[in-house]
Amino acid sequence: MTTATKTFKRNNGRKVDETREIRAEVGIIPNADGSALFAFGDTIAIATVHGPRTMHPQHKQDPKKGVLRCNYDMLSFSVTERKKPGPNRRSQEISKVTEWALAQAVDLDDFPATVVDVNIIILQANASTRCAGINAASLALAHAGVPMKELVASVSIGKIDKTLVADVDKEEEDNEEGDGATDIAMSFLCNSEKISHIQLDGKITAKELDEAIELGWKTCQKIKKIQEDTLKKVGEEK
Amino acid sequence: MNIENNLTKQSVLNYLNENKRMDNRKFLELRKIEIETGISKNAEGSARVKFGNTEVVAGVKMDVTTPYTDHEDEGTLITTLELLPIASEEFESGPPRIQAIELGRLVDRGVRESGFIDFEKLCIKKGEKVWGIFLDLYAINDDGNLLDTGVMAALAALLTSKIPKYDEKTEKVQFGEWTNKKLPLTKSIPITMTFYKIGDKMIIDPNKVEEISADGRLTLALSELDKRLVINSMQKGLEEAFTKQELSKIFAEAEKKHAEILKKLEKLE
């Protein structure tokens, strides 16, 4: 950690590398082949998986392997100012980066001409919704039994003024003091230790960004552990 | 109807002809109802309702808007219902199709026509500013009877809604901050029940398999008006026609069921 870490005190009493309370559950939606809930504190994402099933329209089929298709959306009342129901530019972009974040973790070579549909909804939003969505999706894919090489874990690292923090909440995201807030959402392929998704908004030096990614990796290892523990519980109950 | 549905229908009918249902319920018996409120903090009110495995979430958001020219001193209500792809492998994302449109409109009519919301109390300045209510419903898991489940979720969300703060000077709503005031609601809680006709049998609260086997359906919303039970809205769906006797029987059964369902909601105050 840099010396700057001491300057910003988090409003919520969290340590700089501490996420909000994480809640993870699988099997919450009976109709889906796989489903999961993942929450960072007040940010709650639900993901389902349907498939592999035949891809329609046919021209989108890949004769060599199955295709992963993601769809992310927020419920209209998940934010303080109502969001018009249905997809918009933001949700379509997030859907696409989510797809890219997860694509290398699944192995659909044995399912040519099929699609695996991942649908993510945000029930309640307090920043980091795409990261919660990706974590939920990774869990739901595993819960569905889709062949996977590894899990994907996602977190947003923030630079609030000059301090790096893990799992940014809305209040931190809106911080305007000093350098203001820089938000870096990132996702890791947990075994290959590679970054499958990264997005940044704000102002940050290359050196600080190196540190942010390191903090992201450390945090994602903790998240991966929670994902694994959640999946191990499947079938244990009753 | 495709082959698979035809086979499904035959097995559903086999049960009904023996006076049974596949999940051992009586013809007019509801599944277990679970209501949870306050499920989404940024909403003015929210609820999750389950009828068996069918699950719908509803949320209320409000904003200050201009009234309709023919109701200058009344607030407005806009209801939407989305059949999210998470709820069933048959649902796809994109603009709502006829099933979602019809369901949304039925929820809207039940709530509106009963007079459950006291729209006049939502007027801020006649002809200029009124509160607008957005009532948004989302299907989470479809195991039949999304409509009755959805109306229940809508009612639970409305019953637990608080009005947001409004700054008179800047004429802006302070989103994310709430007053202690609840929505102005009346005692006319519109309970919705849908009766399904399969062959010559009549059931309520179908599961998905029963629902796709149905030949006809009739939806009614009932509420209390001056201690009388009144029907506020009604819609017949699907091709099968009903006899006058069948309709009379449905009206009588709906009156009986009303109290049973109302009890579940009255606890929410």
Side-chain angles (χ1 to χ4, degrees), chain A residues 120-205:
Chain A
I120 299 164
I121 58 161
I122 304 302
L123 186 63
Q124 186 174 283
N126 186 318
S128 304
T129 62
R130 72 196 65 190
C131 298
I134 290 169
N135 288 328
S138 173
L139 274 171
L141 282 163
H143 179 244
V146 171
M148 290 177 86
K149 298 170 201 161
E150 53 197 312
L151 286 167
V152 178
S154 184
V155 73
S156 69
I157 300 300
K159 185 173 77 72
I160 314 301
D161 188 8
K162 295 189 172 52
T163 310
L164 291 175
V165 297
D167 181 29
V168 185
D169 65 23
K170 188 81 178 72
E171 203 178 325
E172 291 172 340
E173 196 179 71
D174 295 341
N175 192 306
E176 284 174 1
E177 283 164 40
D179 287 354
T182 302
D183 179 20
I184 315 141
M186 58 183 93
S187 308
F188 287 89
L189 297 163
C190 290
N191 293 353
S192 21
E193 303 189 16
K194 281 184 182 162
I195 296 156
S196 61
H197 155 238
I198 188 161
Q199 290 174 287
L200 184 153
D201 293 293
K203 320 173 185 72
I204 191 165
T205 65

Side-chain angles (χ1 to χ4, degrees), chain B residues 20-192:
Chain B
K20 281 186 202 156
R21 284 171 81 171
M22 14 193 29
D23 50 11
N24 282 324
R25 276 186 291 156
K26 300 193 188 80
F27 284 8
L28 298 176
E29 186 181 340
L30 299 163
R31 286 172 290 185
K32 189 180 171 213
I33 299 177
E34 291 172 59
I35 304 175
E36 189 189 342
T37 57
I39 54 134
S40 194
K41 282 187 183 173
N42 294 328
E44 274 61 290
S46 61
R48 175 208 316 271
V49 170
K50 282 185 180 182
F51 275 31
N53 269 337
T54 293
E55 181 175 343
V56 177
V57 299
V60 169
K61 288 300 295 175
M62 293 173 73
D63 199 355
V64 170
T65 177
T66 48
Y68 298 119
T69 46
D70 54 349
H71 292 90
E72 288 194 313
D73 56 349
E74 291 183 15
T76 61
L77 171 71
I78 294 175
T79 309
T80 75
L81 183 143
E82 270 201 76
L83 300 173
L84 295 176
I86 71 165
S88 163
E89 57 176 19
E90 284 162 34
F91 301 156
E92 288 170 24
S93 47
R97 295 169 202 197
I98 184 61
Q99 190 193 356
I101 292 168
E102 191 203 8
L103 286 173
R105 283 185 55 81
L106 287 173
V107 175
D108 184 280
R109 282 162 52 200
V111 171
R112 189 184 299 276
E113 300 302 327
S114 62
F116 180 48
I117 300 171
D118 191 344
F119 286 110
E120 285 182 12
K121 289 197 179 138
L122 291 170
C123 179
I124 298 169
K125 193 171 179 198
K126 189 178 171 181
E128 287 180 26
K129 278 197 294 268
V130 296
W131 281 107
I133 299 174
F134 292 98
L135 175 59
D136 295 317
L137 286 82
Y138 294 91
I140 298 293
N141 196 68
D142 177 16
D143 189 23
N145 201 15
L146 282 171
L147 178 63
D148 298 355
T149 315
V151 171
M152 193 73 107
L155 297 174
L158 289 166
L159 281 163
T160 52
S161 286
K162 293 243 166 72
I163 297 177
K165 284 190 181 163
Y166 175 69
D167 190 327
E168 303 262 355
K169 283 191 199 119
T170 60
E171 301 191 346
K172 284 211 169 83
V173 179
Q174 293 164 296
F175 292 108
E177 291 177 50
W178 290 274
T179 63
N180 284 324
K181 273 196 283 179
K182 292 191 160 187
L183 268 183
L185 301 172
T186 68
K187 295 279 172 207
S188 303
I189 302 177
I191 303 292
T192 300

